[in-house]
Amino acid sequence: MRIAELFKKKKPVIAFEIFPPKPDVPLEKLYNSLEQFKDMKPDYISVTYGAGGSQKGRTVEIASKIKRDYGIETMAHFTCVGHSIEETDSMLELMRGNDLENILALRGDPPLDQPDFDFSRNVFRYASELICHIRGKSAFCIAAAAYLEGHPESRRLRDDLLNLKKKVDQGVDFLLTQFFFDNRLYYDFLEKAAAAGITCPIVPGIMPIFSTNIKTMTARSGCSIPAKLVLVMDKYADNPDDLRKAGIEYAAAQIRDLLDSGAAGIHLYTMNRPKSSRDILTDAGIL
Ligand SMILES: Cc1cc2nc3c(=O)[nH]c(=O)nc-3n(C[C@H](O)[C@H](O)[C@H](O)COP(=O)(O)OP(=O)(O)OC[C@H]3O[C@@H](n4cnc5c(N)ncnc54)[C@H](O)[C@@H]3O)c2cc1C
């Protein structure tokens, strides 16, 4: 099913994001977790695409298995960084051949071993160009990424919003946000996006805090951590169990507030942790 149809029929649409394990790690552990994710009845599961196209085969393999063997709708992430037209088209063909109907179309980050990667050498320099290419030749339901605090490379928030509008205009069905820890950023962004003429659903992405490693992730993603959350992280810095519990409570409170405010759905960055995901959804009143 095209996920865009789900947004017309159901509110909220609850989605989980998982990532493929490293190539040398067997997929069995992930598949065991999927049994537990399935019990939580997500509306769909999205599967990330390794940075710079690493583990690209695994994304389609996992997304297809989730749909075929677990009966859950899926969305495959796809980044165009470093891919030729032929590689892009053969990946789209592989997805179609596996009955995948939903794609999160992204530019991607530089390959891990090339931090200074020159995106102007890419066939598709921006996600909008990839989206235009996909839309021109297929009926995929297409999602794209939105950044409440601006994409880290953007020089002005306003430019980033205009670039987002260009991306949506190429045929995006819905947007997923980068994670954030202050819901006011999301509510403000909805207003700015509406004023810019963006009318598709904008689904908030929620990243639970499980360890102080989140500081590195937020630094890379250009997301801010509110002072009250910094205090929580400092308080439990030497107590991982309590930090995990506090992280679950924080994520659940964010979700409750978002749903009370009428968010179209929740995109939970599960970090492949079914137990913690269940705790969050239970605490948030979804399970
Ligand atoms: C929900 C979500 C899921 C993600 N999943 C993955 C994943 O699975 N694998 C992975 O590798 N990465 C993933 N990412 C990270 C993403 O690939 C990076 O953030 C990447 O740096 C940007 O991708 P994009 O599609 O948002 O790029 P774009 O939309 O192309 O934007 C990139 C930058 O270019 C600017 N820009 C866009 N269009 C123009 C234009 N016409 N002129 C000038 N500037 C322009 C934008 O303002 C922005 O600064 C994900 C991000 C999110 C939010």
Side-chain angles (χ1 to χ4, degrees), residues 204-222:
I206 297 297
M207 170 73 82
I209 290 175
F210 295 132
S211 79
T212 47
N213 288 343
I214 193 76
K215 289 183 185 169
T216 318
M217 282 174 84
T218 50
R220 268 200 221 118
S221 323

Side-chain angles (χ1 to χ4, degrees), residues 3 6-7 10-15 43-44 203 263-267:
I3 292 167
L6 267 177
F7 286 106
K10 183 174 186 284
K11 195 174 179 184
V13 170
I14 304 296
D43 292 302
Y44 71 93
V203 182
I266 297 292
H267 183 83

Side-chain angles (χ1 to χ4, degrees), residues 60-267:
V60 175
E61 182 183 349
I62 295 166
S64 311
K65 190 171 172 75
I66 294 173
K67 182 161 181 173
R68 195 181 54 240
D69 296 354
Y70 296 81
I72 306 169
E73 193 46 75
T74 52
M75 176 167 70
H77 297 207
F78 178 58
T79 69
C80 54
V81 56
H83 284 344
S84 65
I85 289 271
E86 292 72 26
E87 285 167 336
T88 303
D89 286 345
S90 76
M91 187 53 78
L92 296 175
E93 203 44 58
L94 184 65
M95 290 184 199
R96 258 195 306 264
N98 280 280
D99 288 331
L100 299 182
E101 293 173 83
N102 305 288
I103 184 163
L104 174 58
L106 302 144
R107 182 200 70 179
D109 284 322
L112 292 175
D113 55 347
Q114 300 173 57
D116 299 322
F117 184 82
D118 176 6
F119 285 100
S120 66
R121 284 175 28 222
N122 244 17
V123 176
F124 304 113
R125 184 168 186 176
Y126 302 111
S128 54
E129 295 171 8
L130 172 67
I131 290 162
C132 178
H133 180 75
I134 300 173
R135 187 50 83 225
K137 58 191 320 179
S138 65
F140 279 107
C141 169
I142 303 176
Y147 303 84
L148 306 186
E149 299 177 79
H151 182 265
E153 288 164 33
S154 64
R155 297 181 66 193
R156 288 169 187 266
L157 296 180
R158 172 88 190 136
D159 292 349
D160 204 40
L161 188 61
L162 293 176
N163 290 333
L164 180 65
K165 173 74 166 80
K166 281 186 207 157
K167 186 155 75 171
V168 172
D169 287 348
Q170 293 302 330
V172 166
D173 292 293
F174 67 102
L175 291 168
L176 294 177
T177 79
Q178 182 58 285
F179 56 84
F180 57 95
F181 302 105
D182 182 343
N183 287 357
R184 292 175 301 178
L185 293 168
Y186 175 72
Y187 303 134
D188 278 359
F189 187 80
L190 289 187
E191 284 178 15
K192 285 185 209 148
I198 295 173
T199 55
C200 64
I202 302 178
V203 182
I206 297 297
M207 170 73 82
I209 290 175
F210 295 132
S211 79
T212 47
N213 288 343
I214 193 76
K215 289 183 185 169
T216 318
M217 282 174 84
T218 50
R220 268 200 221 118
S221 323
C223 304
S224 57
I225 307 183
K228 65 176 177 184
L229 194 49
V230 174
L231 293 180
V232 171
M233 286 161 70
D234 287 349
K235 183 172 173 190
Y236 299 121
D238 299 324
N239 191 337
D241 281 348
D242 284 350
L243 180 58
R244 192 189 77 89
K245 277 186 209 147
I248 286 170
E249 273 171 31
Y250 196 93
Q254 263 194 294
I255 293 174
R256 275 197 303 274
D257 180 67
L258 288 162
L259 296 184
D260 285 350
S261 303
I266 297 292
H267 183 83

